[in-house]
Amino acid sequence: MTDEHVTSDSEEKSFFPDWAKPYSDIDGEIASVYPAKPHFVLLGAGASKAALPHGDRRGQSVPVMLELVDELNLIETIPDDLRELARADFEAAYSRLVERPEYDTQEIDKKITAFFSGLRLPKEPNLYDYLNLGLREKDAIFTFNWDPLLVQSQVRLRNMGVDRLPSLFFLHGNVSVGYCERDDVSGIAGDAGIRGYPCSHCGQPFKPSKLLFPVEHKDYKSDPFIAREWEAAVEILEHCFWFTIFGYSAPKTDVEAVALLKGAWGDIEDRVFEQLEVIERPGREDEDIRNTWDPFIHSHHYDIVHTFFESSIAKHPRRTGEAYWNTYLFGQLTEDNPVPMNCENLESLIAWFEPLLSAELME
Ligand SMILES: [Zn+2]
């Protein structure tokens, strides 16, 4: 651009695209639907724990890996010399087992798959329903979790007529999702209490995706389904404007995952407009969280909150991009449009989202 363009044109609108307009209240936010960049959400075990504070429909809680060892009596299947290690660090013990050619890990794998397949969302509106409803089709949720709760939520929302939901990706595989290697297509495998459907290309039922165990040297390229999910993660993270990390504390066994994410996020100097948000259980020190994610944070462009309901998605549902523009680029005071916390049933929660959904159809 030449100097002439900058100084002689008094319209002064060139910095902002035509579709971006500041707004002053909640109605303005509901009516604003920009073709904004994706919101990238990363889920760890803490998100499913937060989604089931009183357990699943039958009261079953979501255990962490170490609790699983006792919950599923996995210790019985582990050779004597590794039992002590398995009780202290199951991932490390599993990692050693995989390296023993004489040992078959199938029994452990089967028990874990059966356990997670048995989990069911409670009937009441769940945190995962809020999360799915709070994002748009342009947005994406990437989860490390094996449980089927996020998928069960999307299936029930679709059955109730909401079909503009975020894309889902499964970075360590999932019990409810399958993959057709021939056609490179994934879909619902029909386990975990959800009706499955066949591959749209070949008509064959989906083969359940492999669950990638948290061993020390994860190889994300060895399984075609998981490789594809990671390719999407890298691509979308590169182009997102907002990165929310929910209940994922980047454990030491996940060095490779964090390195891949950092590679896609790139240099923080190139991320001056983007925002990082961490939702972490109450009790964990903010400084500790800040240090964990330091390589991803550009100066003050980050938020740490301790429940989902304090997050950008709960305060500006389906409009996180618009609220971001309004606050940071237009410098407006942006009122929150908080999701209702005590909805009696899913119907009333969906009804609350109707004005947002309708405004999107006008675009
Ligand atoms: Zn197929």
Side-chain angles (χ1 to χ4, degrees), residues 179-185 198-206:
Y179 179 63
C180 173
E181 202 167 333
R182 203 184 76 170
D183 299 310
D184 190 27
V185 171
C199 169
S200 58
H201 293 251
C202 65
Q204 295 297 310
F206 286 111

Side-chain angles (χ1 to χ4, degrees), residues 160-174:
M160 292 173 79
V162 184
D163 54 4
R164 279 168 292 128
L165 296 167
S167 308
L168 305 182
F169 298 90
F170 305 91
L171 300 174
H172 282 173
N174 188 274

